[in-house]
Amino acid sequence: MSARIVMRLTVVEAVATTPEVVRLTFAHPQRPELPAWEPGAHVDLRLPDGRTRQYSLCGDPADRSRYVMAIKREDAGRGGSLWTHDNLTPGAVAHVSHPRNNFGVAVEARRHVLIGGGIGVTPLAAMAWYLAARGADFVIHLCARSAENAPLLAELQALCGDRLRCWFSSEGSRFDPAALGAPEDGVHIYACGPQRLTDAVQVTLETAGWPVEQVHVEHFAPMADENYKPEPFDALIASTGAVVHVPADVSLLDILRRHGFAMPSSCEIGVCGSCECGYRDGTVIHRDVVLPVAKRQDRMMPCVSRARVNVTLEL
């Protein structure tokens, strides 16, 4: 269960932006302002059965009167999007957490390149609002099957003008990460979308020599690796000296809870960052898609990440 504060918000608008994507606007029934947030942030949406799903905020961060989310209906998904499409109509009440951000804007950058694939454009839309308001130098690449299937297209056209570049595969137009060229000082690149897109961006830029601190990626799905075989390991709790055993088929997060450690969590598939904890010693096998490389030397996500033989945890 997540330890994040949850608010009861009211759906004030539900608009279909594509045949599969609905844009939902939420407001507090009593308070004129919602908690502040920064572009790239997401919230937890708590479902009636206790499940939690994460959705990026895609509206104007300067407008604290509302939260806006664009949610794609995934018929083959885990059920969260189906519930939102079927139940979150105007007047409905939703349980929404305070925002959390693992995908922020690099304020020191002189130019920003935003790359969104399908529904992955949602956090980038918020970045576009933020950057446009500050007169920043940016461009946003929107990749989709067609204009009809491009989430938030009309909104982004009005907001970004000629800073919006559209790539529609039905028209034979595809974004090529190689076009980003060689590394440039002060240029930061942000990508969010299907794994094939984010992988292509990361591999291409790494090959071209782009520094990792200038490339920012957010994923909506857990890491896919059918060849990985989890192994058992032990975890030493530095504060108490206790040692817990983690079997191959159980997560470290579950074992810590069984031994009385109240660990916060949300997605439990390594994409939200809620359960992040520190470790002191050991070789960690990072299985999440949210923790930046610079933090992996002493931080881990116990919902999916594991260790070889043993690890010492800072809880």
Side-chain angles (χ1 to χ4, degrees):
M1 173 183 262
S2 172
R4 297 166 67 179
I5 298 173
V6 175
M7 304 170 287
R8 287 172 54 89
L9 303 185
T10 302
V11 179
V12 296
E13 186 178 57
V15 177
T17 70
T18 79
E20 299 175 321
V21 176
V22 61
R23 186 181 67 232
L24 300 171
T25 302
F26 301 82
H28 198 286
Q30 297 176 323
R31 300 174 186 171
E33 289 191 340
L34 293 168
W37 58 284
E38 296 180 350
H42 69 270
V43 295
D44 289 346
L45 181 64
R46 186 73 55 81
L47 307 186
D49 62 3
R51 292 178 298 166
T52 301
R53 296 292 182 267
Q54 290 74 41
Y55 296 107
S56 295
L57 296 177
C58 62
D60 181 0
D63 183 2
R64 293 183 56 189
S65 68
R66 60 191 59 211
Y67 286 165
V68 181
M69 306 174 213
I71 301 175
K72 181 181 179 182
R73 185 182 183 95
E74 300 279 4
D75 291 324
R78 296 183 293 148
S81 68
L82 298 183
W83 182 86
T84 62
H85 276 247
D86 293 341
N87 294 278
L88 294 185
T89 55
V93 174
H95 294 82
V96 180
S97 74
H98 283 206
R100 178 187 181 95
N101 201 344
N102 299 311
F103 190 48
V105 170
V107 295
E108 73 278 8
R110 64 173 179 82
R111 178 171 169 77
H112 307 263
V113 180
L114 317 178
I115 307 165
I119 196 62
V121 78
T122 50
L124 305 179
M127 293 182 182
W129 276 102
Y130 174 87
L131 295 169
R134 284 155 179 76
D137 183 2
F138 76 95
V139 62
I140 178 168
H141 296 273
L142 173 56
C143 309
R145 292 196 305 273
S146 65
E148 182 186 23
N149 295 107
L152 308 176
L153 177 58
E155 176 181 315
L156 290 171
Q157 288 173 328
L159 174 65
C160 302
D162 60 6
R163 292 174 293 196
L164 174 65
R165 314 284 171 81
C166 294
W167 306 87
F168 300 139
S169 58
S170 65
E171 301 175 1
S173 174
R174 292 183 180 275
F175 174 74
D176 182 1
L180 297 170
E184 294 185 52
D185 291 341
V187 176
H188 282 246
I189 297 172
Y190 313 78
C192 184
Q195 187 172 347
R196 64 181 181 277
L197 172 65
T198 55
D199 283 354
V201 170
Q202 287 182 293
V203 170
T204 301
L205 296 184
E206 181 180 355
T207 301
W210 282 80
V212 294
E213 61 269 19
Q214 289 177 235
V215 181
H216 314 270
V217 175
E218 183 169 68
H219 303 263
F220 285 161
M223 179 180 292
D225 185 355
E226 297 178 354
N227 296 319
Y228 175 67
K229 303 299 181 184
E231 297 179 356
F233 64 97
D234 291 329
L236 168 66
I237 313 303
S239 59
T240 66
V243 176
V244 297
H245 181 70
V246 185
D249 59 347
V250 184
S251 73
L252 172 58
L253 177 65
D254 284 340
I255 292 297
L256 291 173
R257 285 174 170 165
R258 292 179 190 179
H259 286 79
F261 294 94
M263 300 289 291
S265 70
S266 182
C267 73
E268 300 193 11
I269 57 173
V271 302
C272 77
S274 297
C275 65
E276 179 182 338
C277 70
Y279 70 93
R280 181 182 300 175
D281 298 303
T283 301
V284 170
I285 305 169
H286 293 280
R287 305 294 303 155
D288 68 278
V289 293
V290 65
L291 198 62
V293 173
K295 296 179 66 177
R296 295 193 170 202
Q297 289 76 18
D298 57 6
R299 309 294 294 177
M300 68 181 295
M301 301 297 175
C303 65
V304 292
S305 295
R306 305 181 66 81
R308 290 194 174 93
V309 186
N310 55 62
V311 65
T312 300
L313 298 176
E314 295 277 9
L315 300 182

